[in-house]
Each structure stands twice: as structure tokens, then as C-alpha cells.
Amino acid sequence: MKKLLVTGSVGQIGSELTMYLRDKYGNDNVVATGHRTKPSEKLKNSGPFEFITVSDFKEVEDIVKKYDIGTIYHLAAVLSAVGESKPQICWDVNMNGLYNVLEVAREHKAAVFVPSSIAAFGPETPKDNTPQDTIQRATSMYGVTKVAGELLADYYYKRFDVDTRGVRYPGIISYETLPGGGTTDYAVEIFYEAIKNKKYTCFLKEDTKLDMMYMSDALKAAVDIMTADTSKLKHRNAFNLCAFNFTPKELAEKIKKFIPEFEISYEVDSVRQDIADSWPNSMDDSAAREEWGWSPEFDLDEMVKDMIEKLTEKLKG
Ligand code: SER
């Protein structure tokens, strides 16, 4: 079989997606790549791992040629909060990285998974039940790269017949690898702090509602869209996905059911608050449900229970 490539494999989603794909397709068939961060022993020892810079065309092409890659899961990206402190780097990694991946895919006939985000929406977007096709005037640099990335991926499909597909991820909650530099990161940090210190200071206001999802559903979505029957797809890229949504206050209440002493306080970071305020509360994911059978397995209560169990175990060890 042609091999699969994961970029950003040391990141929050990439690290788990690589292992998920290795379980499914065989360790040697999934090539993991990262930028500078050291990979975990598990990632490094379970299959091929290489360092590349996605904004360097030749480095992307060399890997695709060396391993005869047929599908690229392109996870490498700079997230929203870091994107505001380093907008030029965010543009370089997110846009030039995606452009290089798409160009290499065009030349070497590879399929590409392109993750977009709730960040592709903006303040003028309808906040509740956000439609699949709607106004997208993103105001963060990360969001700008996500809107442009969605359009570029659609363009490569229409113009060059590159098999691009993708989803709009909400905030992803997981216990393996910490997220780095995003606005939804609080929803992961809160679990670590609740278990370790029984208190957490949140950088978003208590009533900031955002769409979120548990990692196992995010992984399933990536593989399901890439293996979907293309004759049923009316959209290709940027399918809205929805699992559950909550505010920091609501999440803290759920955690208190398991850790009654837990206390949340707030010290608002205006940069991340502005970003969060420009994103939807809850996306309408009916296109994903109709076109490729998307359906999440974890609701909010199940996620909280599983996170606390798994993370408590992890932090003991
Ligand atoms: N989780 C991302 C962030 O907060 C959104 O895609 O930046």
C-alpha cells in the first residue's frame, strides 16, 4: 500500500492521530514528522519519524518521494494565541506549509486531509447553529489562515483534482499531549489543575461558550472523512463538526461532581478573550452527518468522566 504521512505529529492531535493510523494501517505504513519538538518514545519507536519544516517545499517533497506517500494528514500549524503574538510566523507555517503540501500532493498524486477550525468564523458569523456555508470574516491571523486554507484546498480539488478533504474542528480535549498556544487550551488545562491542585485560574470569562470535542471523536472524524464514499460528498473541505459546547463555568460544575473541592477563578487574557468572542457557540454539522455519516460518540458528561479517570491514572504514573 501507499504510505500515509502525518505532519505536526508531535502536536496535540498529530501525536494521537499517528498512533491511531498506525493501529489501523500498520506501524511502518505511517510516517510521522515533526518540526523541532522531541517526539515521545512511543511515537519514535513505533514507526518512521523524521524532522521537517513544512514551509520548505523541498523537505516536504523529499519525504513524500522517500516513503512513497499516498495520503497526507496535514496537522502542522501555529494555533490562535501564538498566532496573535507571532502573526508572520503563523502565516508562514500555516499558509506556506499548506501550499507546499498541496503542491507536492498535486505532483505526486497524494490525497490531503486539511483541518480547519471554528476559528475560520468571525464576529459577523451567526453564533448559534452556525451554518455550514455562511459569513467567514475571521479576525485572528490563525483564523485568516484557516479561511484561506479552506479555499485553497477547495481550489486544488476543483482545479487540479487533488483529493482534498477536511473538517472544521472545535476545541479538542485530550489527555495524551497538551495543546500548545490555542484559545481553547483552558478546557484541557483545567483537568490537569483540578486533579493536581484542586483549583484553576481560567483565562476566559466564565460565560464564554465554545464548541468542543473529545479526542477520540476528532480522530474518528479524520479517518472517516478520508475514507468516505466521494460520490456522496457535496462539500469536500471544512465540514462543520459538533459534539458538545460549554462555558468555563459549566465545565467547572461538571468537574466538581467528581472533585467537589475544585475551585475555579478568572483572570481574563484580553487577546484570547477577543479571539473566543469572535468564534461560534455551536456549529450546525448536518452536512457532515448527511454526506459521510458523522456522529460523535462522546457527549459532555461522558467526556468529563473519561478525562478525569484517564488523567488521574496518567498523573499517578
Ligand atoms: N483549538 C484551536 C485554538 O484554540 C482552535 O482551532 O487555537
Side-chain angles (χ1 to χ4, degrees):
M1 73 176 268
K2 281 220 165 203
K3 292 189 167 50
L4 295 89
L5 172 69
V6 180
T7 70
S9 78
V10 185
Q12 185 198 11
I13 303 177
S15 59
E16 293 203 46
L17 182 63
T18 302
M19 298 314 297
Y20 186 81
L21 293 170
R22 284 182 176 165
D23 276 351
K24 193 173 166 66
Y25 296 109
N27 286 351
D28 292 339
N29 289 324
V30 181
V31 181
T33 58
H35 186 218
R36 281 193 198 129
T37 312
K38 234 176 105 196
S40 67
E41 291 299 306
K42 184 160 82 176
L43 197 64
K44 203 176 58 181
N45 297 335
S46 58
F49 180 90
E50 305 255 6
F51 283 111
I52 61 165
T53 300
V54 289
S55 52
D56 183 318
F57 179 86
K58 195 168 173 309
E59 289 194 18
V60 179
E61 186 172 45
D62 285 349
I63 290 285
V64 167
K65 284 205 295 211
K66 177 175 170 188
Y67 290 98
D68 191 22
I69 299 295
T71 303
I72 306 170
Y73 283 84
H74 180 46
L75 275 302
V78 169
L79 294 187
S80 58
V82 173
E84 287 315 290
S85 62
K86 299 175 182 153
Q88 295 82 358
I89 290 175
C90 181
W91 176 269
D92 184 41
V93 173
N94 296 10
M95 287 321 303
N96 294 330
L98 177 61
Y99 174 76
N100 289 340
V101 164
L102 291 170
E103 267 299 290
V104 170
R106 178 179 71 79
E107 284 179 7
H108 298 274
K109 308 220 171 320
V112 186
F113 173 72
V114 184
S116 186
S117 159
I118 44 174
F121 297 115
E124 292 96 345
T125 304
K127 280 214 176 305
D128 295 306
N129 222 16
T130 305
Q132 175 65 42
D133 302 304
T134 186
I135 302 164
Q136 290 183 263
R137 309 272 319 159
T139 48
S140 67
M141 178 53 96
Y142 176 70
V144 168
T145 68
K146 287 294 167 189
V147 184
E150 291 180 2
L151 295 174
L152 197 60
D154 273 343
Y155 180 83
Y156 268 72
Y157 169 63
K158 287 203 194 93
R159 177 79 169 76
F160 301 121
D161 207 23
V162 175
D163 185 1
T164 60
R165 310 184 199 186
V167 297
R168 290 186 185 125
Y169 278 132
I172 306 295
I173 300 171
S174 66
Y175 53 85
E176 279 280 336
T177 309
L178 279 165
T183 300
T184 56
D185 295 12
Y186 92 84
V188 177
E189 289 167 7
I190 193 172
F191 284 97
Y192 280 79
E193 294 306 312
I195 294 166
K196 287 195 290 193
N197 302 320
K198 318 278 181 244
K199 56 179 197 268
Y200 176 64
T201 306
C202 184
F203 56 74
L204 294 182
K205 288 185 196 156
E206 63 173 27
D207 58 351
T208 310
K209 187 168 269 204
L210 288 169
D211 256 328
M212 301 275 178
M213 177 183 295
Y214 203 31
M215 180 62 89
S216 58
D217 281 321
L219 303 179
K220 188 164 77 75
V223 173
D224 285 357
I225 179 71
M226 291 312 285
T227 51
D229 174 357
T230 50
S231 68
K232 300 212 171 69
L233 298 184
K234 291 188 209 106
H235 298 83
R236 296 290 302 198
N237 294 287
F239 279 95
N240 282 0
L241 296 184
C242 186
F244 43 77
N245 43 67
F246 52 75
T247 65
K249 191 175 173 196
E250 287 163 353
L251 180 59
E253 290 305 319
K254 297 280 181 197
I255 292 174
K256 269 187 193 202
K257 291 201 174 130
F258 294 87
I259 307 171
E261 321 88 282
F262 177 60
E263 293 290 342
I264 187 164
S265 55
Y266 300 89
E267 255 172 50
V268 173
D269 165 15
S270 61
V271 173
R272 284 182 284 191
Q273 187 64 49
D274 282 353
I275 294 174
D277 288 343
S278 74
W279 291 354
N281 296 333
S282 139
M283 289 185 276
D284 171 4
D285 61 0
S286 49
R289 287 174 185 270
E290 279 156 27
E291 293 175 41
W292 50 278
W294 156 250
S295 169
E297 279 170 5
F298 279 80
D299 66 17
L300 175 56
D301 289 316
E302 290 162 334
M303 178 280 286
V304 172
K305 182 168 181 290
D306 202 63
M307 263 307 269
I308 291 180
E309 279 171 15
K310 298 279 168 44
L311 198 54
T312 304
E313 204 47 44
K314 180 182 164 176
L315 295 175
K316 263 190 213 156

